[in-house]
Amino acid sequence: MLIQADALRRIVSAIFARAGCSAAESERVARSLVSANLVGHDSHGVVRVPRYVQMMRDGRLLPDRTIEIVTDTPVLAVVDGGFGFGQTVAPQAVRLGIDKARRNGAAVIALRNAGHVGRVGDWAEMAAEAGLVSVHFVNAAGSILVAPFGGTERRFSTAPFCAGVPRPGEPPLILDFATSVVAEGKVLVAAKGGKPVPPGSLIEPDGRLTSDPATLYGDAGPDAPPEKRENRGAIRAMGEHKGSGLALICELLGGALTGNGTAGPGPRPFANGMLSIYMDPAAFDAAGFFPEEMRRYLDFVKSARPAEAGGEVLLPGEPEQRSRAKRLAEGIPLPDDAWNSILAAARGAGLREEEIRAILG
Ligand code: NAD
C-alpha cells in the first residue's frame, strides 16, 4: 500500500503518546521514523514501531529522558542517554557538540546508553544545518549480529559509520551506512514481506551464504516483533577485511571509548553508543578555499563516464534526497505485513478502531 507521510506520522505519534511518551517526544519519534521512510531507509522507519513499543513495555526504553553530562570540557563531553529514546537523547548530544564546535572550532561528544538512534544521517544532517562537518562512529550493545571477516559467529553489531559535510547553497553530503553488508533493519523489512536482502548477505553457522531472514529471526509470526535469536546465523561484514576492520573501529570508538559497551561478549541491554566529531570549516579555512574546491571536485567526480548506459555517478546523500522528493509527492510504499504490525501496535497501545480511522482521516 501507499500511505501519505502525514497520515503515517499521525498514527505513529498517537501510538507512542498512548504508550506513555509525552506529546513532544511522540511527535519527535514519529517524525524521525517517517523521515527514514521518506529518504528510502525503510529499515529505520515505521517498521521499528512494534519493537520500540515492546521495549517500552519491558522497561528497556524509557520515555522523556534528558542526557546526563558525565564529563565536560570546552572541547569534549561524555553524556549518558539513560536508555531514553535515541530520537530524544541523540539530538541533545548533537546540540552540545554543535555549541562546543562553534565556540572552539572542533568538539568530540561521546554518547552512551542511548535508545536506538535510528538513521545516523539525521544527526549528521543536524550538524550540517548548523554549518558543521561531522563524523560518527556508532555501535549497538546488546545487538550482536555480524560475523567478522574470516568468521561465521556473531561478534559485531551492524555498527554504522556516518560523515556529513555541509555545502553552501546545496544539500549536505551525507555518507551513512551500516558496516554490515545490510543493516539489520533491512533483514527486518525482508522478514516483514518487504524488499529481499541481496543474495549472500547472511551466513549460516556452517559457513553457507544465504538471504533467508529466518537465519536471524527464526520464523516470527506476521504481527510479532521479530527477535534476533541467538545461536543462529549472522549478517556478514561489508567490504571483506576492510569493512570488517571499520566495524571493529566503530565498536571500539562508539562502544568502548564512549563507555556504552561493545556488542559482546555476554548479554547486554540494547544501547547505541555514538562517538561524534564536529568541525567548523570556518575555523580551518579562513581563506574560504574549502567550499570552492569541494564544488570543483564534486563536479569532477560526478563527470566520470557512467559505468552503464543511462547511468549516473551519485554523491552520498543524493539517493536519499531524490527518494524524499518522490515519496513526499507520491506517498510511502509499505508492505502489508509492516502496515498490519503498526495497526496491531496501535490496538495494543489501546487505540480504538474509530480513533485509528479518525487519525488516518
Ligand atoms: P545503504 O547501504 O543504503 O548505504 C547508504 C549510503 O550510501 C548513503 O550515504 C547513500 O547516500 C549512499 N549511496 C547509496 N546508493 C548510492 C549510489 N548509487 N551512489 C552513491 N552513494 C550511494 O545503507 P545501510 O547500510 O543499509 O544503512 C541504512 C541506515 O541504517 C543508515 O541510515 C544507518 O545509519 C542506519 N543504521 C543504524 C543503526 C543503529 O544502530 N542506529 C545500525 C545500523 C544502521
Side-chain angles (χ1 to χ4, degrees), residues 61-147:
L61 183 57
L62 305 176
D64 294 292
R65 305 293 289 196
T66 302
I67 51 169
E68 181 200 339
I69 300 186
V70 180
T71 300
D72 192 20
T73 84
V75 292
L76 73 86
V78 179
V79 301
D80 194 313
F83 299 95
F85 273 85
Q87 291 82 354
T88 292
V89 296
Q92 293 171 6
V94 176
R95 184 78 258 157
L96 194 60
I98 290 172
D99 292 346
K100 285 184 188 293
R102 280 200 171 138
R103 277 198 295 275
N104 300 294
V108 185
I109 306 291
L111 169 65
R112 63 170 72 148
N113 298 332
H116 189 242
V117 299
R119 182 183 159 251
V120 183
D122 279 355
W123 317 121
E125 279 174 3
M126 184 174 163
E129 265 165 38
L132 302 182
V133 173
S134 67
V135 184
H136 311 263
F137 300 90
V138 180
N139 94 317
S143 182
I144 187 164
L145 283 167
V146 179

Side-chain angles (χ1 to χ4, degrees), residues 99-304:
D99 292 346
K100 285 184 188 293
R102 280 200 171 138
R103 277 198 295 275
N104 300 294
V108 185
I109 306 291
L111 169 65
R112 63 170 72 148
N113 298 332
H116 189 242
V117 299
R119 182 183 159 251
V120 183
D122 279 355
W123 317 121
E125 279 174 3
M126 184 174 163
E129 265 165 38
L132 302 182
V133 173
S134 67
V135 184
H136 311 263
F137 300 90
V138 180
N139 94 317
S143 182
I144 187 164
L145 283 167
V146 179
F149 179 69
T152 65
E153 285 180 304
R154 302 176 181 191
R155 289 295 182 269
F156 304 142
S157 62
T158 54
F161 171 82
C162 177
V165 183
R167 293 188 295 164
E170 304 267 359
L173 281 187
I174 304 288
L175 177 64
D176 172 28
F177 54 77
T179 51
S180 45
V181 173
V182 286
E184 187 245 327
K186 296 215 160 126
V187 192
L188 186 62
V189 168
K192 290 270 166 208
K195 189 174 163 196
V197 295
S201 307
L202 310 173
I203 186 164
E204 290 284 357
D206 63 6
R208 265 181 309 121
L209 302 187
T210 174
S211 60
D212 181 359
T215 305
L216 283 199
Y217 301 121
D219 295 311
D223 294 341
E227 283 301 332
K228 297 158 269 189
R229 297 193 357 192
E230 291 301 326
N231 305 320
R232 290 191 58 93
I235 311 179
R236 292 169 66 219
M238 66 160 207
E240 310 298 332
H241 56 292
K242 304 179 195 185
S244 186
L246 183 55
L248 182 72
I249 295 295
C250 286
E251 287 291 342
L252 292 180
L253 301 190
L257 187 59
T258 56
N260 186 62
T262 49
R268 294 201 160 154
F270 178 91
N272 268 146
M274 177 163 83
L275 185 88
S276 303
I277 303 166
Y278 301 91
M279 290 166 274
D280 183 353
F284 290 78
D285 174 44
F289 176 75
F290 177 56
E292 191 46 32
E293 181 69 353
M294 177 163 57
R295 191 190 58 72
R296 264 196 304 271
Y297 183 63
L298 295 178
D299 287 348
F300 177 54
V301 170
K302 280 188 73 72
S303 72

